[in-house]
Amino acid sequence: MKQIEKTLENLIGQSLNAALAEGSLTKHTNDCSCQISVLPSTKPEFGDFQINSALSLAKVFRKSPREIAELIINQLNKIESFKNICKPAEIAGPGFINLTLNESCLISGIFQRLNDSNLCVPKVEVNLKEHQKKPIVVDFSSPNIAKEMHVGHLRSTIIGDSIARVLEFRGYKVLRLNHVGDWGTQFGMLITHLKEVAPQALKESNAIELGDLVTFYREAKIKFDEDKNFQKASRDEVVKLQNGNVDSLKAWSLLCNQSRKEFQIIYDRLNINLIERGESFYNKFLKGVINELDECALLKKDNGAQCVFLNEVKGWKSTSPPVIVQKSDGGFNYATTDLAAIKYRLSAVPEGDGAERLIYVTDSGQASHFESVFEIGKLANWVTNKNQCKHVPFGLVLGADGKKLKTRSGHTVRLKDLLDESVERAKADLISRLSSEKREENEEFINKVSKVIGIASVKYADLSQNRTTNYQFNFDRMLNLQGNTAPYLLYAFVRIAGIQRKGGNINHAINSLKFTTQQEWNLIRHLLKFDDIIIEVEEELLPNRLCNYLFELSQIFNRFYDKIPILKANVIEKSSRLALCKLTADTLQLGLSLLGIETLQRM
Ligand code: ARG
């Protein structure tokens, strides 16, 4: 409805000007833009749009808001193109204007969407060729090598993927970067430990599994914390690695490969596309970063470490700790790598990615890290006012006890186990549903459906929460056929596929539509809002807005489906209702695909 909103805003501007020209309104102050905004109405009884501007215009024109609203309406109701869109405008309360779209306008909106695979969501950068587009970097997932990918990474993966899909759909070029933790002190510990207990793992690939690697990592960490000699050996090992020792590099790359393979299994199951560009990629830039910071006079030595004191430079609250960019032993930090990454991503091709916007999807615990890093990026002039760097934070995943999700033994939950369990449970549910409905289905159907539902449920449960809050992981709730869940939405889609199987050809071309019931108009109005929602998700980077929209769409569709005959209706009503079914199915499918969720024909 964005297009209509704009048109209406113009028409109101026209009416205001006409009233001014006629002399029925006079401006008493010049410092006003007389900006009039048309907003979607907050309640159905206020029509489709409301205009609240008469209240703020009262001062400018020294008339009561109601008088101003009346003058605007008088003009508006005279304009031919307005009459094509709306029923006569009405005044409400102290001076609000309510606008209600007329039936022909609503119907033409439905026609447009039936004939447009983008469902009338406008594209940005339409006139640019692919190579002219400046990419948006979405940095997401980003697990750490030799550590198991945990639910925090699952959230980042699911949310980041959805944000990337929405941006891509809008026409942006998106660089999906996996900033894998593939460098740093963990390798010193791990290599030292493996040399003692499993030397073959450092020489040949596939000698150990990621599960083992994680166990080795835990053991190494315990030793590191307890044993001074082990600490020393580990640190020496890091130095060897950083200096490019051939054996150390070989061991490192074997470990990375092993992790990479396991991560890929998860990405394949979740259907996630990512370009791996780990922390190690930026090694060669770290020294240069320090030099540039020094040139900008941002560095200060503190206990042998090179630091940026943002509290001094920027007058930030004095408790904010300094950002250490080089440790006293010469080593670099997580923040140093992120600074190098910002510079690289924003630098023009071929020195960098030539990106304009950077989006980072991590847990909210990293908010102050990103705040500092972005600020330093600005001070060093890598980030200019053309750029936008944004941290997209999310909350924790909690278990049934309301605490951070853990296994019974207190370890982090393995993603693989979590996805397996969801699919298993979806399968058990399906089998019991089949038996109660006395339906027979083959093995292939059962496996396919439970896989889609199991994965969709995990994704949707995550995406449907406002990402900034913590959410409680609960299989029973997320797999339920009722409520704001993936199965509920998938089922609405399946119902429409069912209508088609029962003989309702929802794909045939149609040239006239006729609607008669409230249920139909409710569905139409909701269908026409899809573009508004996509733009909102893009602006706020909140996929839960799209989830809510699709949930409401499914509810409104189900009410229509339950109350209104479709296949048994007369010819013209039937084909009009089938057209609504088709548009609902298309909207659900496109919306779900932007959440990274596949649909089913039957379930
Ligand atoms: N590897 C980090 C972690 O597991 C996330 C990295 C996020 N991206 C970044 N550019 N810092 O917490």
Side-chain angles (χ1 to χ4, degrees), residues 139-145 147 150 152-153 156 177-182 277 279 282 334-335 337-339 341-342 345 359-363 366 369-370 391:
D139 174 322
F140 70 105
S141 193
S142 310
N144 302 314
I145 300 282
K147 299 186 191 170
H150 55 70
H153 296 121
S156 173
L177 292 185
N178 200 2
H179 191 82
V180 178
D182 65 353
R277 199 198 276 160
E279 296 182 16
Y282 302 97
Y334 184 52
T337 305
D338 261 324
L339 287 168
I342 289 194
R345 292 166 181 183
I359 292 173
Y360 296 79
V361 188
T362 80
D363 60 287
Q366 302 199 31
H369 162 76
F370 284 110
H391 178 220

Side-chain angles (χ1 to χ4, degrees), residues 84-149:
N84 290 337
I85 303 178
C86 285
K87 297 185 176 164
E90 285 173 8
I91 301 188
F96 300 114
I97 302 175
N98 293 342
L99 303 179
T100 305
L101 295 171
N102 65 28
E103 294 182 356
S104 67
C105 171
L106 291 168
I107 288 176
S108 92
I110 294 295
F111 264 123
Q112 281 166 13
R113 283 157 182 78
L114 283 169
N115 291 308
D116 177 5
S117 58
N118 294 321
L119 305 181
C120 289
V121 180
K123 296 272 173 204
V124 291
E125 307 190 318
V126 256
N127 297 322
L128 291 184
K129 299 222 169 64
E130 207 49 37
H131 71 272
Q132 293 170 313
K133 293 183 182 173
K134 297 207 164 194
I136 301 179
V137 168
V138 184
D139 174 322
F140 70 105
S141 193
S142 310
N144 302 314
I145 300 282
K147 299 186 191 170
E148 196 90 51
M149 230 199 242

Side-chain angles (χ1 to χ4, degrees), residues 64-77:
S64 76
R66 219 183 146 85
E67 282 173 298
I68 295 174
E70 257 160 26
L71 288 168
I72 294 178
I73 284 183
N74 284 342
Q75 298 295 340
L76 201 54
N77 286 337

Side-chain angles (χ1 to χ4, degrees), residues 422 451-461 486-487 490 596-598:
S422 188
K451 195 183 115 208
V452 171
I453 297 183
I455 301 291
S457 300
V458 170
K459 286 191 177 184
Y460 190 84
L490 291 174
I597 294 175
E598 212 183 315

Side-chain angles (χ1 to χ4, degrees), residues 283-522:
N283 282 339
K284 51 185 177 294
F285 304 118
L286 300 178
K287 279 221 174 70
V289 160
I290 302 293
N291 290 342
E292 277 194 58
L293 294 178
D294 202 18
E295 280 162 25
C296 297
L298 290 169
L299 295 184
K300 189 168 163 185
K301 266 244 164 94
D302 190 56
N303 272 325
Q306 292 285 11
C307 306
V308 182
F309 284 83
L310 283 166
N311 52 347
E312 292 175 13
V313 185
K314 292 288 296 177
W316 281 12
K317 51 184 183 308
S318 55
T319 50
S320 55
V323 181
I324 303 176
V325 290
Q326 188 165 27
K327 292 183 279 190
S328 53
D329 65 3
F332 302 105
N333 274 338
Y334 184 52
T336 329
T337 305
D338 261 324
L339 287 168
I342 289 194
K343 179 173 179 207
Y344 186 87
R345 292 166 181 183
L346 295 178
S347 297
V349 191
E351 277 75 39
D353 293 318
E356 205 158 64
R357 272 167 79 186
L358 310 180
I359 292 173
Y360 296 79
V361 188
T362 80
D363 60 287
S364 25
Q366 302 199 31
S368 64
H369 162 76
F370 284 110
E371 193 185 9
S372 312
V373 159
F374 296 160
E375 197 52 49
I376 298 174
K378 282 185 207 153
L379 292 167
N381 269 326
W382 301 322
V383 181
T384 68
N385 50 15
K386 278 206 203 103
N387 303 128
Q388 190 199 46
C389 299
K390 197 163 167 56
H391 178 220
V392 173
F394 54 79
L396 299 173
V397 183
L398 307 177
D401 55 1
K403 300 204 188 102
K404 213 169 162 172
L405 188 68
K406 287 259 155 75
T407 61
R408 258 187 225 139
S409 54
H411 290 304
T412 48
V413 178
R414 296 174 11 152
L415 284 195
K416 181 182 171 302
D417 298 340
L418 197 130
L419 298 178
D420 285 347
E421 182 165 353
S422 188
V423 172
E424 274 312 308
R425 285 176 180 246
K427 187 169 179 175
D429 285 354
L430 174 61
I431 291 173
S432 93
R433 205 152 37 84
L434 291 178
S435 100
S436 72
E437 290 170 11
K438 301 210 164 37
R439 263 167 73 192
E440 292 257 359
E441 298 288 356
N442 63 26
E443 193 71 16
E444 192 192 342
F445 175 89
I446 294 176
N447 287 337
K448 162 88 185 161
V449 171
S450 34
K451 195 183 115 208
V452 171
I453 297 183
I455 301 291
S457 300
V458 170
K459 286 191 177 184
Y460 190 84
D462 197 324
L463 293 167
S464 57
Q465 305 291 322
N466 181 315
R467 59 174 163 73
T468 55
T469 58
N470 298 343
Y471 90 97
Q472 203 158 38
F473 196 92
N474 181 327
F475 280 121
D476 289 331
R477 202 184 310 141
M478 67 176 76
L479 287 160
N480 202 324
L481 262 172
Q482 296 303 327
N484 188 4
T485 64
Y488 181 78
L489 270 62
L490 291 174
Y491 193 66
F493 185 84
V494 161
R495 274 185 146 177
I496 302 175
I499 298 173
Q500 180 157 34
R501 279 195 303 277
K502 277 188 229 130
N505 183 356
I506 60 174
N507 283 320
H508 74 110
I510 178 162
N511 43 28
S512 97
L513 291 168
K514 182 174 169 224
F515 301 107
T516 48
T517 67
Q518 196 51 46
Q519 278 80 4
E520 290 165 296
W521 292 118
N522 291 347

Side-chain angles (χ1 to χ4, degrees), residues 129-196:
K129 299 222 169 64
E130 207 49 37
H131 71 272
Q132 293 170 313
K133 293 183 182 173
K134 297 207 164 194
I136 301 179
V137 168
V138 184
D139 174 322
F140 70 105
S141 193
S142 310
N144 302 314
I145 300 282
K147 299 186 191 170
E148 196 90 51
M149 230 199 242
H150 55 70
V151 282
H153 296 121
L154 179 69
R155 281 208 94 175
S156 173
T157 308
I158 293 174
I159 296 170
D161 177 57
S162 174
I163 288 176
R165 283 172 189 263
V166 170
L167 294 171
E168 284 155 351
F169 173 62
R170 286 275 287 137
Y172 294 105
K173 178 160 153 186
V174 175
L175 207 53
R176 300 159 156 258
L177 292 185
N178 200 2
H179 191 82
V180 178
D182 65 353
W183 201 250
T185 44
Q186 81 240 45
F187 287 96
M189 296 192 284
L190 195 61
I191 294 176
T192 312
H193 181 54
L194 285 173
K195 272 187 181 164
E196 289 171 19

